[in-house]
Amino acid sequence: MSDLESIKAFGPARSTVQGSPLSAEEIKDYNDYFKASCYLALGMIYLKENPLLREPLKKEHLKARLLGHFGSAPGQIFTYMHFNRLIKKYDLDAYFVSGPGHGAPGVLSQSYLEGVYSEVYTNKSLDGEGLQKFFKYFSFPGGTGSHATPEMPGSLHEGGELGYSISHAFGSVFDNPNLIALTMVGDGEAETGPLATSWHSNKFLNPITDGAVLPVLHLNGYKINNPTILARIPHKELENLFLGYGWQPYFVEGDEVESMHQAMAATLEHCVREIQSFQQKARASGEAARPRWPMIVLRSPKGWTGPRMVDDNYLAGFWRAHQVPITDPQKNPEHLKLLEAWLRSYEPDRLWDSEGRPDGRFRRMCPDGNRRMSANPVANGGLLKKPLRMPQFTDYALAVERSAGVKAASMSNMARFLRDVMAMNMHNFRLFGPDETESNKLGAVYEAGKKVWMGEYFEEDANGGNLAPAGRVMEMLSEHTCEGWLEGYVLSGRHGLLNSYEPFIHVIDSMVNQHCKWIEKCLEVEWRAQVASLNILLTAVVWRQDHNGFTHQDPGFLDIVANKSPKVVRIYLPPDGNCLLSVMDHCLRSANYVNVVVADKQEHLQYLDMDAAVQHCTKGIGIWPQFSTDAGHDPDLVMASCGDVSTHESLAAVDLLLQHFPELKIRVVNCVDLFKLIHPSDHPHGLSDREWIALFTDDTPVVFNFHSYPWMVHRLTYKRPGARHIHVRGYKEKGNIDTPLELAIRNQTDRFSLAIDAIDRIPHLKNRGSAARQTLLNAQIVARTEAFETGMDPPRLTEWVWPEGGLLSKIGQAAEGKMPVRAK
């Protein structure tokens, strides 16, 4: 066979594995099952009435708006139904991941024939009336979508946005030693970056502790309007690609149905037995070596079993079969006849009885109970979820003898708590991240669980490598793969945390967006059980990326998350170490949210002892009386902050103001839960207007120092009383290779800029504040000059703490007229 012929999807089956496991009678049964399934997949795209063509097809029987994708359905059906035989034969625990975009018709047909769909949706019964509803409500208002949506039994991967099928599948089989994720990878999907990196997941799969992923790369040759790359490269090049990835590819290629049945049945069985052999050997010996896991390359025509030509144009085996294959049957009588002939070629009159019940053989060909792939509870992971065993987070409290008078490493301390969470949950909690766990000061977790590594080992790895085949930390320099693993792990009933540098979390903006949509939709599906929250810890934050430059300075992920439904997202910015502990404990215990926690990894001032931290985090926002001077008075100024670095600079600004104007009535407000700022009509966490006024008033200038982009706070607070008095400072896309203070000055979030801004906003100061304003501006210039000359911020500024004696000392000195004005 020529190289060109070898990559075509037509002809008798060509397969790596030879064998004839099916009898002639079984081939007949599978052929009928295949026909019935393809009929269902095509019928749900076109038909709203006359579901079994018991009368001639009329345009009135068709949906007014034709939606759906048929192209990948036959290949998915073919794979799914042949794996059912192996589930029955070997009593396998397996489920199906549909990677191709808009792949629902193929998978829904299987859930319907298995009987699961009718059990979940009783009005979609296994009879003529139920089938009519099953067809009508596909891609129809009030029905189910064309992806593997949350409404689809057996799905934990929607496939709306392409690229995540493999990483989701691997996430689901980690710590699931008996599970097989049969994963269909579309050849269009295979061109995406996330999918390309996810093939490396096999370097992290432990054959002792984990299950297996059996990928089936479906080369049907075309995307919407283009050939797919992997379907057009030489056969040997394709084989070498996957050998290079560490897989053992087995090919099944062709379109002649009878021989393809034998080839697929033999190949799938070979792969299952190979997986079982690898696992049995490793589990018997206790040696977790990395095998060359099997995968299948299925090359079959797009729109397989459809007409090859329509009006002298190619259809099956070409891009025109991708979506709705025949687009105008309502308007073109000849095309209506052609559609009817195509539907009837699947013999619905023979394969369904007079009551509209499918042939009884089909149900017998499927597994029973939860062994049916669309009934596997792993795809409804909330049913399997067990609460984490949690240490008492208050046991890890940082001592705070004087508020804002002591520095400590909040992140390193929290790592001790995370270490013990891991140690107490060695089979249902993992930490994920792109090569940053140590850098993010979380290295203490390695005392409980090392980094998973199934590759080769060098002698130097014993000197701080922290690698182990059975680790609990998952690191790969692909944010997409790490996020996909975490999503699959959580959606299948476990718990986890992703840690990342703040600027590069943007790599997975869209993935997190898709997960938010999934869990929100699950809230509308009554049979879906809530899964653990997806927790994201962002550190190496914008204000401490001064040395890495402009590319590393971007806190905008919070904007992406804030756009999502208030039912499923939460954002926390703990100001210190004890608040970080309280927030992390809360997030790890929660369910069905995407929790984003932002905290820097360096040493910072500590403000609250543990009792005060718990109270503050429980409220989510509050006045800090230890730094305020307005008790019993209307404030002249509200100085608010959100974020650890932002809080530090805000308090330093308060100190500067009180040095110059000790009589000022300043109220200090700190926000931990960002959504406390939103009006309660838009978010359940939002303060009532009465609570808002009790903190911010409705007529007092507010200088709000914010961790991220300043307009985000304006957007969140636009409904608030006195919103016009809120003046927000935050990151304004001004950056370079700077010192921390210089970066803050560029963006007007430093203590000098904040104090100057406050002077300008306080009405009664007017021109009386001019001298102080000039003094502060001069001090800022001196600090910048020193930073440019030495490369370091002045120690007198970096080592600032709240003055000894605090406010009582200041107020007393002010009463005696002795308040000094200090350069500090």
Side-chain angles (χ1 to χ4, degrees), residues 337-355:
K337 291 179 182 178
L338 180 61
L339 174 61
E340 181 176 12
W342 181 6
L343 285 163
R344 291 190 183 279
S345 73
Y346 296 126
E347 302 183 83
D349 283 337
R350 181 173 67 85
L351 300 178
W352 275 265
D353 68 15
S354 60
E355 301 297 322

PDB file of all heavy atoms in Angstrom, residues 337-355:
ATOM      1  N   LYS A 337     -35.873  13.861   0.511  1.00  0.00           N
ATOM      2  CA  LYS A 337     -35.917  12.443   0.139  1.00  0.00           C
ATOM      3  C   LYS A 337     -34.588  11.753   0.456  1.00  0.00           C
ATOM      4  O   LYS A 337     -34.583  10.607   0.914  1.00  0.00           O
ATOM      5  CB  LYS A 337     -36.229  12.312  -1.359  1.00  0.00           C
ATOM      6  CG  LYS A 337     -37.639  12.729  -1.744  1.00  0.00           C
ATOM      7  CD  LYS A 337     -37.841  12.580  -3.252  1.00  0.00           C
ATOM      8  CE  LYS A 337     -39.247  13.035  -3.668  1.00  0.00           C
ATOM      9  NZ  LYS A 337     -39.437  12.948  -5.140  1.00  0.00           N
ATOM     10  N   LEU A 338     -33.510  12.451   0.175  1.00  0.00           N
ATOM     11  CA  LEU A 338     -32.196  11.875   0.452  1.00  0.00           C
ATOM     12  C   LEU A 338     -32.014  11.645   1.952  1.00  0.00           C
ATOM     13  O   LEU A 338     -31.505  10.592   2.381  1.00  0.00           O
ATOM     14  CB  LEU A 338     -31.098  12.808  -0.077  1.00  0.00           C
ATOM     15  CG  LEU A 338     -29.649  12.355   0.143  1.00  0.00           C
ATOM     16  CD1 LEU A 338     -29.379  11.027  -0.553  1.00  0.00           C
ATOM     17  CD2 LEU A 338     -28.683  13.430  -0.371  1.00  0.00           C
ATOM     18  N   LEU A 339     -32.444  12.594   2.771  1.00  0.00           N
ATOM     19  CA  LEU A 339     -32.356  12.442   4.217  1.00  0.00           C
ATOM     20  C   LEU A 339     -33.191  11.261   4.679  1.00  0.00           C
ATOM     21  O   LEU A 339     -32.739  10.451   5.511  1.00  0.00           O
ATOM     22  CB  LEU A 339     -32.825  13.724   4.910  1.00  0.00           C
ATOM     23  CG  LEU A 339     -32.918  13.655   6.432  1.00  0.00           C
ATOM     24  CD1 LEU A 339     -31.550  13.365   7.067  1.00  0.00           C
ATOM     25  CD2 LEU A 339     -33.505  14.948   7.000  1.00  0.00           C
ATOM     26  N   GLU A 340     -34.389  11.126   4.129  1.00  0.00           N
ATOM     27  CA  GLU A 340     -35.247  10.006   4.523  1.00  0.00           C
ATOM     28  C   GLU A 340     -34.599   8.682   4.156  1.00  0.00           C
ATOM     29  O   GLU A 340     -34.599   7.717   4.956  1.00  0.00           O
ATOM     30  CB  GLU A 340     -36.617  10.126   3.872  1.00  0.00           C
ATOM     31  CG  GLU A 340     -37.543   8.989   4.267  1.00  0.00           C
ATOM     32  CD  GLU A 340     -38.949   9.130   3.705  1.00  0.00           C
ATOM     33  OE1 GLU A 340     -39.166   9.982   2.818  1.00  0.00           O
ATOM     34  OE2 GLU A 340     -39.843   8.366   4.158  1.00  0.00           O
ATOM     35  N   ALA A 341     -34.024   8.610   2.961  1.00  0.00           N
ATOM     36  CA  ALA A 341     -33.374   7.367   2.539  1.00  0.00           C
ATOM     37  C   ALA A 341     -32.191   7.045   3.454  1.00  0.00           C
ATOM     38  O   ALA A 341     -31.957   5.874   3.804  1.00  0.00           O
ATOM     39  CB  ALA A 341     -32.909   7.500   1.089  1.00  0.00           C
ATOM     40  N   TRP A 342     -31.470   8.054   3.836  1.00  0.00           N
ATOM     41  CA  TRP A 342     -30.332   7.852   4.738  1.00  0.00           C
ATOM     42  C   TRP A 342     -30.815   7.332   6.085  1.00  0.00           C
ATOM     43  O   TRP A 342     -30.290   6.333   6.608  1.00  0.00           O
ATOM     44  CB  TRP A 342     -29.583   9.176   4.888  1.00  0.00           C
ATOM     45  CG  TRP A 342     -28.358   9.126   5.764  1.00  0.00           C
ATOM     46  CD1 TRP A 342     -27.790   8.032   6.336  1.00  0.00           C
ATOM     47  CD2 TRP A 342     -27.549  10.236   6.149  1.00  0.00           C
ATOM     48  NE1 TRP A 342     -26.674   8.387   7.071  1.00  0.00           N
ATOM     49  CE2 TRP A 342     -26.499   9.736   6.970  1.00  0.00           C
ATOM     50  CE3 TRP A 342     -27.596  11.604   5.880  1.00  0.00           C
ATOM     51  CZ2 TRP A 342     -25.526  10.578   7.523  1.00  0.00           C
ATOM     52  CZ3 TRP A 342     -26.622  12.424   6.422  1.00  0.00           C
ATOM     53  CH2 TRP A 342     -25.605  11.917   7.235  1.00  0.00           C
ATOM     54  N   LEU A 343     -31.817   7.970   6.646  1.00  0.00           N
ATOM     55  CA  LEU A 343     -32.348   7.513   7.934  1.00  0.00           C
ATOM     56  C   LEU A 343     -32.873   6.082   7.837  1.00  0.00           C
ATOM     57  O   LEU A 343     -32.627   5.244   8.710  1.00  0.00           O
ATOM     58  CB  LEU A 343     -33.464   8.453   8.396  1.00  0.00           C
ATOM     59  CG  LEU A 343     -33.022   9.824   8.935  1.00  0.00           C
ATOM     60  CD1 LEU A 343     -34.198  10.791   8.967  1.00  0.00           C
ATOM     61  CD2 LEU A 343     -32.434   9.665  10.335  1.00  0.00           C
ATOM     62  N   ARG A 344     -33.569   5.773   6.749  1.00  0.00           N
ATOM     63  CA  ARG A 344     -34.138   4.429   6.614  1.00  0.00           C
ATOM     64  C   ARG A 344     -33.075   3.368   6.366  1.00  0.00           C
ATOM     65  O   ARG A 344     -33.301   2.179   6.628  1.00  0.00           O
ATOM     66  CB  ARG A 344     -35.186   4.407   5.494  1.00  0.00           C
ATOM     67  CG  ARG A 344     -36.450   5.190   5.830  1.00  0.00           C
ATOM     68  CD  ARG A 344     -37.558   4.951   4.811  1.00  0.00           C
ATOM     69  NE  ARG A 344     -38.723   5.768   5.109  1.00  0.00           N
ATOM     70  CZ  ARG A 344     -39.663   5.480   6.020  1.00  0.00           C
ATOM     71  NH1 ARG A 344     -39.541   4.348   6.725  1.00  0.00           N
ATOM     72  NH2 ARG A 344     -40.689   6.272   6.216  1.00  0.00           N
ATOM     73  N   SER A 345     -31.895   3.797   5.909  1.00  0.00           N
ATOM     74  CA  SER A 345     -30.824   2.819   5.685  1.00  0.00           C
ATOM     75  C   SER A 345     -30.383   2.172   7.000  1.00  0.00           C
ATOM     76  O   SER A 345     -29.773   1.101   6.986  1.00  0.00           O
ATOM     77  CB  SER A 345     -29.627   3.490   5.001  1.00  0.00           C
ATOM     78  OG  SER A 345     -28.926   4.340   5.900  1.00  0.00           O
ATOM     79  N   TYR A 346     -30.711   2.800   8.119  1.00  0.00           N
ATOM     80  CA  TYR A 346     -30.382   2.237   9.430  1.00  0.00           C
ATOM     81  C   TYR A 346     -31.471   1.278   9.930  1.00  0.00           C
ATOM     82  O   TYR A 346     -31.368   0.762  11.045  1.00  0.00           O
ATOM     83  CB  TYR A 346     -30.171   3.369  10.445  1.00  0.00           C
ATOM     84  CG  TYR A 346     -28.995   4.274  10.130  1.00  0.00           C
ATOM     85  CD1 TYR A 346     -29.165   5.654  10.047  1.00  0.00           C
ATOM     86  CD2 TYR A 346     -27.714   3.769   9.919  1.00  0.00           C
ATOM     87  CE1 TYR A 346     -28.100   6.503   9.772  1.00  0.00           C
ATOM     88  CE2 TYR A 346     -26.653   4.599   9.639  1.00  0.00           C
ATOM     89  CZ  TYR A 346     -26.840   5.968   9.567  1.00  0.00           C
ATOM     90  OH  TYR A 346     -25.784   6.805   9.286  1.00  0.00           O
ATOM     91  N   GLU A 347     -32.494   1.055   9.153  1.00  0.00           N
ATOM     92  CA  GLU A 347     -33.554   0.065   9.393  1.00  0.00           C
ATOM     93  C   GLU A 347     -34.286   0.256  10.732  1.00  0.00           C
ATOM     94  O   GLU A 347     -34.386  -0.672  11.549  1.00  0.00           O
ATOM     95  CB  GLU A 347     -32.981  -1.351   9.328  1.00  0.00           C
ATOM     96  CG  GLU A 347     -32.315  -1.675   7.996  1.00  0.00           C
ATOM     97  CD  GLU A 347     -31.831  -3.118   7.933  1.00  0.00           C
ATOM     98  OE1 GLU A 347     -32.651  -4.008   7.628  1.00  0.00           O
ATOM     99  OE2 GLU A 347     -30.638  -3.340   8.242  1.00  0.00           O
ATOM    100  N   PRO A 348     -34.811   1.451  10.986  1.00  0.00           N
ATOM    101  CA  PRO A 348     -35.544   1.644  12.242  1.00  0.00           C
ATOM    102  C   PRO A 348     -36.772   0.739  12.359  1.00  0.00           C
ATOM    103  O   PRO A 348     -37.137   0.337  13.474  1.00  0.00           O
ATOM    104  CB  PRO A 348     -35.931   3.121  12.190  1.00  0.00           C
ATOM    105  CG  PRO A 348     -35.909   3.485  10.733  1.00  0.00           C
ATOM    106  CD  PRO A 348     -34.800   2.675  10.150  1.00  0.00           C
ATOM    107  N   ASP A 349     -37.436   0.409  11.223  1.00  0.00           N
ATOM    108  CA  ASP A 349     -38.607  -0.473  11.290  1.00  0.00           C
ATOM    109  C   ASP A 349     -38.251  -1.840  11.850  1.00  0.00           C
ATOM    110  O   ASP A 349     -39.048  -2.455  12.563  1.00  0.00           O
ATOM    111  CB  ASP A 349     -39.217  -0.644   9.883  1.00  0.00           C
ATOM    112  CG  ASP A 349     -40.012   0.564   9.455  1.00  0.00           C
ATOM    113  OD1 ASP A 349     -40.460   1.318  10.353  1.00  0.00           O
ATOM    114  OD2 ASP A 349     -40.180   0.776   8.244  1.00  0.00           O
ATOM    115  N   ARG A 350     -37.057  -2.315  11.561  1.00  0.00           N
ATOM    116  CA  ARG A 350     -36.640  -3.635  12.031  1.00  0.00           C
ATOM    117  C   ARG A 350     -36.051  -3.592  13.443  1.00  0.00           C
ATOM    118  O   ARG A 350     -36.216  -4.540  14.217  1.00  0.00           O
ATOM    119  CB  ARG A 350     -35.616  -4.221  11.049  1.00  0.00           C
ATOM    120  CG  ARG A 350     -35.119  -5.623  11.419  1.00  0.00           C
ATOM    121  CD  ARG A 350     -34.245  -6.218  10.337  1.00  0.00           C
ATOM    122  NE  ARG A 350     -32.988  -5.523  10.174  1.00  0.00           N
ATOM    123  CZ  ARG A 350     -31.894  -5.762  10.896  1.00  0.00           C
ATOM    124  NH1 ARG A 350     -31.923  -6.689  11.858  1.00  0.00           N
ATOM    125  NH2 ARG A 350     -30.773  -5.096  10.667  1.00  0.00           N
ATOM    126  N   LEU A 351     -35.392  -2.498  13.780  1.00  0.00           N
ATOM    127  CA  LEU A 351     -34.641  -2.449  15.030  1.00  0.00           C
ATOM    128  C   LEU A 351     -35.444  -1.876  16.195  1.00  0.00           C
ATOM    129  O   LEU A 351     -34.957  -1.878  17.328  1.00  0.00           O
ATOM    130  CB  LEU A 351     -33.345  -1.660  14.825  1.00  0.00           C
ATOM    131  CG  LEU A 351     -32.393  -2.254  13.766  1.00  0.00           C
ATOM    132  CD1 LEU A 351     -31.164  -1.376  13.596  1.00  0.00           C
ATOM    133  CD2 LEU A 351     -31.993  -3.682  14.136  1.00  0.00           C
ATOM    134  N   TRP A 352     -36.626  -1.351  15.938  1.00  0.00           N
ATOM    135  CA  TRP A 352     -37.559  -0.937  16.994  1.00  0.00           C
ATOM    136  C   TRP A 352     -38.880  -1.640  16.772  1.00  0.00           C
ATOM    137  O   TRP A 352     -39.293  -1.846  15.627  1.00  0.00           O
ATOM    138  CB  TRP A 352     -37.778   0.577  16.961  1.00  0.00           C
ATOM    139  CG  TRP A 352     -36.754   1.384  17.701  1.00  0.00           C
ATOM    140  CD1 TRP A 352     -36.832   1.841  18.974  1.00  0.00           C
ATOM    141  CD2 TRP A 352     -35.491   1.842  17.201  1.00  0.00           C
ATOM    142  NE1 TRP A 352     -35.699   2.543  19.304  1.00  0.00           N
ATOM    143  CE2 TRP A 352     -34.854   2.569  18.238  1.00  0.00           C
ATOM    144  CE3 TRP A 352     -34.824   1.708  15.977  1.00  0.00           C
ATOM    145  CZ2 TRP A 352     -33.609   3.150  18.086  1.00  0.00           C
ATOM    146  CZ3 TRP A 352     -33.578   2.289  15.825  1.00  0.00           C
ATOM    147  CH2 TRP A 352     -32.975   3.003  16.883  1.00  0.00           C
ATOM    148  N   ASP A 353     -39.552  -2.041  17.835  1.00  0.00           N
ATOM    149  CA  ASP A 353     -40.817  -2.767  17.670  1.00  0.00           C
ATOM    150  C   ASP A 353     -41.966  -1.796  17.450  1.00  0.00           C
ATOM    151  O   ASP A 353     -41.786  -0.574  17.358  1.00  0.00           O
ATOM    152  CB  ASP A 353     -41.063  -3.704  18.853  1.00  0.00           C
ATOM    153  CG  ASP A 353     -41.346  -2.982  20.165  1.00  0.00           C
ATOM    154  OD1 ASP A 353     -41.637  -1.764  20.140  1.00  0.00           O
ATOM    155  OD2 ASP A 353     -41.284  -3.638  21.227  1.00  0.00           O
ATOM    156  N   SER A 354     -43.173  -2.336  17.382  1.00  0.00           N
ATOM    157  CA  SER A 354     -44.346  -1.524  17.063  1.00  0.00           C
ATOM    158  C   SER A 354     -44.640  -0.471  18.127  1.00  0.00           C
ATOM    159  O   SER A 354     -45.306   0.532  17.853  1.00  0.00           O
ATOM    160  CB  SER A 354     -45.568  -2.425  16.877  1.00  0.00           C
ATOM    161  OG  SER A 354     -45.825  -3.155  18.085  1.00  0.00           O
ATOM    162  N   GLU A 355     -44.175  -0.680  19.354  1.00  0.00           N
ATOM    163  CA  GLU A 355     -44.374   0.291  20.435  1.00  0.00           C
ATOM    164  C   GLU A 355     -43.222   1.298  20.511  1.00  0.00           C
ATOM    165  O   GLU A 355     -43.235   2.182  21.373  1.00  0.00           O
ATOM    166  CB  GLU A 355     -44.489  -0.428  21.785  1.00  0.00           C
ATOM    167  CG  GLU A 355     -45.632  -1.418  21.857  1.00  0.00           C
ATOM    168  CD  GLU A 355     -46.984  -0.739  21.704  1.00  0.00           C
ATOM    169  OE1 GLU A 355     -47.129   0.380  22.237  1.00  0.00           O
ATOM    170  OE2 GLU A 355     -47.872  -1.315  21.055  1.00  0.00           O
TER     171      GLU A 355
END
